Amino acid sequence: MDNPPVQKFDVVIIGAGWYGLTAARTYLRLRPGTNLLVVDAESSVGGVWCKERLYPNLVAQVRLGLFNYPDMPMPPREGQKDDPAVTGEMINNYLHKFAEDHDLLRHIRLNTFIEKVTQLTQGWRLNFRGSGDTIETAKLLVATGVTSIPDMPNFPDSDDSIPRLHSRDIGTSFQALQSSEVESITVVGAAKSAYDAVYLLLRMGKKVTWVIRKDGAGPLAILPFKILNMVNTVAFASTRLMTFLSPSILNAQGSVSGLFHRTKLGIWCAERFWDFLDYTSQRHAGYHIGDHVEKLRPEIERQGVCWANSGLGVVTLPDFWSTLHSDQLTVMRDEIATTKDKTIFLKSGKSFATDRLILCTGWGDHFGMFDSNQKVKIGLPLYRSDISDAADSSSIDWEKSDATAENIINKKLPFLANQPKVDFPARLNPAHQHHWRLYRRVVPIDMGDKGDRSIAILGQIHTVQTPLVAAVQSFWAILYLLGEIDLPSKEDMVKEVSLWNVWTRKRYMGQGIKQPYSLYDFLPYIDTLFEDMKLNSRRKSNFVKEFFSPYEPEDFAGFVEEYLAVRGAETEHKRG
């Protein structure tokens, strides 16, 4: 049987979530005639917020008005205009409407899992799982995110008597979990998805056993929805003031940064701010009450909400902590050894029966479509199975560059030299860091330096305002692909990448080792991209508002038009 003909496109985008959708809209806006395709493995648009992954009580950690694209506000729930909550259903509806309004749906191919991506002499070839179809494209934007491939641990000698699922599949399994025959459920892991799962199950009336291993990063720090029940936490985190209270290599220049991070008084003030915020968060959680919730206290010496060593969450549901204090919840600091005969056996020797097992155990290799050598060439992190196969053919001495970056950061941000102690420091070894070697978190250095602008990586940055960062980063990336962003020298790109990787490791400790974490630092990142595009990112009307007023997506509405106006003016000037 003949193979189907190769389908050719100008641009292919992998992923139909926040980044993929705005990238598609932006590319078609800048180049209306582009033959563009978006592919996604799910059955609906939305990425992590696709319809299949939704379930009741799933809400974003960000209030209404802070979780949308700059040029399209998100409407409140019908009949509840004063409710600040942003539900999963609202986000899915919003993203579907965005795709519909901008005529993107006809460009999207769902239920399509990319199994292999290969670089050609010019462009890229994509092969799919369960299909003989082949696609070739001149440009490739990878917007897979970091929560697409579940990491499912293997318990030796286990049988199938306990149905198990990953947290990503709670939505599709919701009806089965509601069954009266399912009385007790075990949740494994300490990520934010575990907290959400435990809350959901307790609200369903289930008896929940929560197993968190002792030698991991431990429970995450969780901020209240409002500080002192007055100021929205994420809104405050979206102020310029916060960009100085949080030590960032993206914001280490100037007198204000010097005051906060290179003077004894400034460092003392920053320390006291984080002490206060951490104390407020811990009291809100009720760790001091002395019940099982005490076992969820972050295992860090101080300022857990600052360092986010094991991650950071925000409470958005008013009964969240009161629900977790329920006597229907048992928290066990242990690890599963095996499962047999509907019983879980722990490494401590304890055992108990359970009806279901939900694994909130993180994520696998979302760049698995590239082989190990291609990952190294692009600058993507290697997964467990890749490490022995990878060969770095570049001439970059990353060890030397990272050491230089470490010295620079220690000098500019001495706050970071005094990291708090954690219970299991071995996992903070710099040798364990997953390295994203991407200039501006987007550009493969070697390829960009050689003029190969055929690929851009999107969404590899974790911040509190995903949709805003998605819109700005995607626009910057597309300008790069189109040759409208000038790259610095290879040496300068290497320096920028090393500074970022060393900084995120020192700033966010365990999370910075795992991923490109930049939770409190999205504004300095946007500042950097805007400067590259010769745009003004200071959008407030006066200094007081600039410093203290939260930045919302709508503050950046019209930035694409501003760029086009600047580019048009430059073109006219050159002609003149």
Side-chain angles (χ1 to χ4, degrees):
M1 186 175 180
D2 293 337
N3 291 325
V6 174
Q7 303 170 64
K8 293 184 180 292
F9 291 88
D10 300 323
V11 177
V12 170
I13 299 171
I14 304 176
W18 284 113
Y19 282 84
L21 292 178
T22 190
R25 188 256 174 136
T26 300
Y27 214 114
L28 291 169
R29 183 179 181 185
L30 296 179
R31 296 291 187 274
T34 300
N35 184 17
L36 181 145
L37 176 70
V38 180
V39 293
D40 195 282
E42 302 291 352
S43 300
S44 62
V45 300
V48 66
W49 300 102
C50 69
K51 190 171 294 185
E52 298 74 42
R53 293 175 68 170
L54 302 183
Y55 54 84
N57 300 321
L58 178 63
V59 295
Q61 301 180 72
V62 182
R63 69 157 169 82
L64 190 67
L66 294 174
F67 211 60
N68 51 265
Y69 293 131
D71 57 353
M72 181 177 167
M74 180 182 290
R77 281 190 284 181
E78 187 174 351
Q80 301 183 53
K81 64 178 183 178
D82 296 325
D83 186 353
V86 179
T87 67
E89 184 179 17
M90 288 169 63
I91 297 170
N92 178 261
N93 290 340
Y94 175 89
L95 289 171
H96 188 274
K97 188 174 189 307
F98 179 86
E100 198 171 51
D101 288 353
H102 297 292
D103 195 26
L104 300 180
L105 295 177
R106 64 188 178 94
H107 294 276
I108 299 173
R109 184 180 300 180
L110 299 170
N111 299 306
T112 303
F113 187 92
I114 307 249
E115 193 162 60
K116 185 178 181 181
V117 175
T118 308
Q119 188 173 19
L120 307 174
T121 304
Q122 291 184 326
W124 300 84
R125 176 183 294 127
L126 285 67
N127 297 102
F128 308 109
R129 178 181 296 174
S131 169
D133 290 351
T134 300
I135 282 177
E136 292 182 1
T137 180
K139 305 280 189 184
L140 180 65
L141 288 106
V142 183
T144 55
V146 295
T147 57
S148 53
I149 307 297
D151 186 8
M152 299 284 283
N154 178 41
F155 304 120
D157 302 319
S158 294
D159 60 23
D160 297 325
S161 60
I162 304 174
R164 65 183 68 174
L165 62 139
H166 193 270
S167 57
R168 82 183 297 277
D169 299 318
I170 290 176
T172 55
S173 304
F174 180 72
Q175 293 299 327
L177 293 173
Q178 279 191 307
S179 169
S180 59
E181 296 181 0
V182 179
E183 298 179 354
S184 62
I185 300 177
T186 300
V187 176
V188 177
K192 182 58 168 61
S193 59
Y195 286 75
D196 292 338
V198 168
Y199 172 83
L200 173 71
L201 297 171
L202 290 172
R203 292 285 294 167
M204 290 167 62
K206 307 299 180 180
K207 183 178 180 180
V208 181
T209 302
W210 192 353
V211 179
I212 303 172
R213 64 190 179 103
K214 291 182 178 180
D215 59 351
L220 76 165
I222 300 187
L223 289 159
F225 188 62
K226 289 185 177 181
I227 302 171
L228 297 179
N229 206 32
M230 294 187 296
V231 181
N232 180 267
T233 303
V234 175
F236 183 78
S238 302
T239 63
R240 291 276 176 201
L241 173 59
M242 178 59 95
T243 69
F244 292 108
L245 290 169
S246 175
S248 173
I249 193 59
L250 300 175
N251 198 31
Q253 307 297 328
S255 58
V256 179
S257 177
L259 172 64
F260 276 103
H261 298 299
R262 289 186 291 279
T263 68
K264 289 183 179 179
L265 176 61
I267 292 173
W268 183 88
C269 290
E271 289 269 9
R272 299 296 73 76
F273 164 77
W274 289 111
D275 284 340
F276 161 75
L277 194 58
D278 197 56
Y279 174 79
T280 300
S281 301
Q282 294 206 28
R283 296 296 295 187
H284 184 255
Y287 301 134
H288 61 285
I289 293 175
D291 61 2
H292 54 272
V293 171
E294 164 68 20
K295 296 179 181 179
L296 301 178
R297 187 190 296 271
E299 296 172 344
I300 188 168
E301 180 185 20
R302 66 182 191 279
Q303 303 162 350
V305 299
C306 168
W307 298 92
N309 170 59
S310 54
L312 187 70
V314 178
V315 171
T316 50
L317 297 164
D319 64 341
F320 180 82
W321 281 117
S322 61
T323 300
L324 263 61
H325 280 279
S326 165
D327 58 10
Q328 288 294 98
L329 173 63
T330 301
V331 179
M332 305 183 74
R333 300 306 307 277
D334 213 319
E335 195 168 351
I336 294 179
T338 190
T339 64
K340 289 183 180 178
D341 301 325
K342 295 188 176 181
T343 301
I344 289 179
F345 296 87
L346 303 176
K347 290 187 176 181
S348 66
K350 298 177 181 178
S351 63
F352 57 90
T354 194
D355 296 319
R356 290 288 189 279
L357 181 58
I358 298 180
L359 301 169
C360 306
T361 46
W363 305 96
D365 185 7
H366 45 283
F367 294 120
M369 70 283 290
F370 298 102
D371 65 33
S372 56
N373 289 327
Q374 194 67 66
K375 287 179 183 176
V376 171
K377 181 179 179 181
I378 294 171
L380 300 174
L382 297 175
Y383 200 59
R384 300 163 193 157
S385 58
D386 292 323
I387 296 175
S388 60
D389 300 329
D392 189 350
S393 59
S394 74
S395 59
I396 301 171
D397 186 344
W398 285 112
E399 185 174 350
K400 179 179 179 181
S401 181
D402 290 350
T404 300
E406 182 111 21
N407 290 332
I408 292 171
I409 290 168
N410 287 340
K411 182 178 180 180
K412 289 188 174 183
L413 300 171
F415 183 103
L416 300 182
N418 184 29
Q419 288 183 329
K421 295 177 182 178
V422 296
D423 286 2
F424 294 94
R427 60 183 302 278
L428 300 181
N429 188 330
H432 298 158
Q433 184 169 7
H434 295 175
H435 291 104
W436 275 257
R437 308 288 196 187
L438 299 166
Y439 176 67
R440 298 289 194 249
R441 325 289 72 78
V442 172
V443 177
I445 292 178
D446 269 331
M447 298 175 71
D449 184 60
K450 293 174 182 176
D452 181 355
R453 297 191 178 215
S454 64
I455 186 171
I457 310 298
L458 302 177
Q460 301 305 300
I461 179 171
H462 186 76
T463 75
V464 297
Q465 286 207 29
T466 298
L468 171 59
V469 174
V472 176
Q473 188 195 69
S474 296
F475 185 64
W476 188 97
I478 291 166
L479 295 181
Y480 158 74
L481 292 178
L482 297 175
E484 295 189 22
I485 293 289
D486 294 328
L487 296 180
S489 68
K490 183 176 181 179
E491 181 181 4
D492 285 343
M493 287 193 285
V494 168
K495 179 181 178 181
E496 191 264 1
V497 168
S498 283
L499 282 171
W500 171 275
N501 282 328
V502 172
W503 166 74
T504 195
R505 167 175 58 80
K506 293 173 73 69
R507 172 64 184 86
Y508 293 107
M509 301 177 71
Q511 291 304 302
I513 280 177
K514 289 199 308 182
Q515 57 184 310
Y517 219 68
S518 183
L519 202 65
Y520 296 113
D521 316 282
F522 77 93
L523 270 178
Y525 180 64
I526 288 176
D527 291 341
T528 302
L529 300 185
F530 265 56
E531 184 177 356
D532 291 344
M533 298 185 290
K534 301 178 182 178
L535 296 176
N536 179 21
S537 59
R538 269 65 179 177
R539 319 287 285 191
K540 301 295 187 180
S541 58
N542 57 60
F543 171 79
V544 174
K545 288 185 177 180
E546 184 66 42
F547 203 68
F548 295 105
S549 179
Y551 261 97
E552 301 187 357
E554 67 178 8
D555 289 310
F556 293 91
F559 78 91
V560 174
E561 289 84 357
E562 292 171 27
Y563 173 82
L564 296 175
V566 169
R567 186 182 65 179
E570 288 183 346
T571 301
E572 287 298 320
H573 179 72
K574 289 177 182 179
R575 288 175 179 172

